[in-house]
Amino acid sequence: MKFYPYKRLNRPIALRVTSASLKLPDGSRDHLDTSAYSVPQRTVALGVAQHEDWVSARIGLSATLPPGANAPDAPWSDLRVLAVLTDGETNVRTAVELRQDAPGSKEWSGSIEVLRDDHVGRAALAATAVATVDDVPGREIAETDDDWTVDVAAEEPLGGLRLDVKQMSFSKSAREWLHVYSDAPWIVDTSGRLPTVFVNTDIEGFSDLLGGESGGIENKVHEMLVSQMGTDVWTAVFHSSVGDLEVEPDGSPVFPTDWQGEVLREMLPDVIPGIHAEEALRQVHRRRTGDAGWVELQTRIHYAAVRRAGASKALANALRGLRQMNRGDGA
């Protein structure tokens, strides 16, 4: 534990990657889609587009300072927020200053350039807030507590929600609360440190199908089952994350600092599109705790879950497999 001889913020900065693009040798820019970065895994995979000769990458960033950063009685001034990329292998360190989105806002945004020749593997991306405290400039008053990883070669960002999967007989489980769900193929439990999916082995052949090792059309069914399970998981964890938000004195909800906060930042752009995550969370909170709007929002929540679970891709693959099988039968 570090001790500081001056006042600091007692919560970490929330840092998010919002975009990624590659500059190619001819000067053009390839804007990567959201599959290039994973919020839950906090990883950017710059090899996703399979360009071996890219020159540099521009990574869009958004940082949210914890409550109290802009308080009128805060014991600091000249507040600045920096994004810092550090590569231990090549000993390269790049720092850029982010800009405040609006006067008094806790949201800061900007971008950082990653030069391909400066990196061979993975680099750590963090954010720090510095200010003048007790007449001493440049003192660090907050930082991220979990770095992002920027991988210049990886083709996927280790994507997917971090969760625990347990297979067991629901009817015979020592967890007696599962007995009532003995006819369900799976149940999502969001009460622990990580969300847990309990898979019911009472359903004959279900575990083997989820293993995806049968081959042929069974693999397509496996993919569809996994996407359906993923949709259920994303829906459940979103509702869990907004169900017990801490609220500031002015009524504004505070992003959780654990996996629930990551889930919200991942899904809110699809639930309430076109606005900053902080305002989107306020709108979701108002609808959930108010008199109207919560029921209408369920469609957007389900849409966000379906996208993250890759349901459309799984369905397309299954249909393609069925068509191929039918053509084979008719031959």
Side-chain angles (χ1 to χ4, degrees):
M1 178 180 293
K2 293 182 179 180
F3 294 94
Y4 298 86
Y6 57 88
K7 291 187 178 297
R8 287 169 38 94
L9 292 164
N10 58 10
R11 292 187 181 180
I13 298 172
L15 179 65
R16 300 167 305 284
V17 169
T18 58
S19 64
S21 64
L22 299 178
K23 183 179 179 181
L24 304 181
D26 62 1
S28 64
R29 188 166 291 275
D30 185 359
H31 295 274
L32 308 181
D33 63 27
T34 55
S35 64
Y37 50 92
S38 168
V39 174
Q41 296 295 335
R42 306 184 70 78
T43 302
V44 183
L46 295 177
V48 66
Q50 298 184 335
H51 292 295
E52 296 184 359
D53 56 350
W54 58 275
V55 177
S56 63
R58 179 177 299 160
I59 299 175
L61 302 171
S62 178
T64 303
L65 298 190
N70 302 315
D73 57 349
W76 47 73
S77 60
D78 305 320
L79 179 63
R80 300 164 62 207
V81 179
L82 306 174
V84 182
L85 183 70
T86 305
D87 191 323
E89 283 193 73
T90 59
N91 203 29
V92 171
R93 188 173 187 268
T94 305
V96 297
E97 188 168 350
L98 304 182
R99 59 187 178 277
Q100 194 173 21
D101 289 356
S105 173
K106 296 194 295 289
E107 299 285 339
W108 297 63
S109 59
S111 62
I112 192 167
E113 293 287 331
V114 182
L115 299 179
R116 183 65 181 89
D117 289 344
D118 287 346
H119 305 279
V120 295
R122 293 183 159 203
L125 180 62
T128 183
V130 298
T132 298
V133 188
D134 297 335
D135 297 324
V136 179
R139 280 183 158 175
E140 186 180 83
I141 62 169
E143 64 283 314
T144 47
D145 63 354
D146 192 5
D147 293 349
W148 277 72
T149 297
V150 177
D151 194 317
V152 299
E155 295 182 6
E156 59 177 302
L158 306 176
L161 178 66
R162 289 173 290 181
L163 50 83
D164 191 12
V165 178
K166 298 182 183 296
Q167 297 193 25
M168 63 185 62
S169 167
F170 284 14
S171 61
K172 301 175 183 177
S173 174
R175 295 177 171 86
E176 294 186 0
W177 63 270
L178 281 174
H179 295 178
V180 71
Y181 304 114
S182 59
D183 60 344
W186 61 76
I187 289 292
V188 183
D189 178 19
T190 59
S191 62
R193 185 180 60 85
L194 288 177
T196 301
V197 179
F198 292 98
V199 175
N200 190 1
T201 58
D202 291 337
I203 300 177
E204 185 177 355
F206 183 50
S207 294
D208 293 338
L209 189 57
L210 282 179
E213 298 178 356
S214 302
I217 193 61
E218 286 83 0
N219 277 348
K220 307 302 182 184
V221 177
H222 155 81
E223 190 175 352
M224 285 191 64
L225 279 173
V226 171
S227 70
Q228 178 60 55
M229 186 183 296
T231 299
D232 289 351
V233 170
W234 280 105
T235 303
V237 296
F238 183 87
H239 281 281
S240 173
S241 300
V242 299
D244 190 25
L245 291 170
E246 184 179 346
V247 179
E248 295 189 64
D250 64 357
S252 298
V254 178
F255 271 100
T257 57
D258 57 6
W259 63 264
Q260 293 180 324
E262 301 297 346
V263 164
L264 292 175
R265 295 187 188 282
E266 176 88 354
M267 294 183 70
L268 281 171
D270 283 326
V271 176
I272 306 286
I275 60 176
H276 287 297
E278 192 176 37
E279 175 58 27
L281 183 61
R282 281 195 290 265
Q283 289 194 25
V284 169
H285 181 66
R286 283 197 299 267
R287 293 193 188 193
R288 192 187 68 83
T289 58
D291 296 329
W294 180 238
V295 173
E296 291 78 7
L297 203 59
Q298 301 311 302
T299 301
R300 297 293 313 185
I301 295 171
H302 184 257
Y303 168 70
V306 165
R307 285 197 65 194
R308 270 137 200 87
S312 295
K313 179 181 178 182
L315 178 59
N317 288 341
L319 292 174
R320 189 181 305 113
L322 284 172
R323 286 194 295 268
Q324 292 172 348
M325 184 176 67
N326 289 337
R327 284 197 295 268
D329 290 343

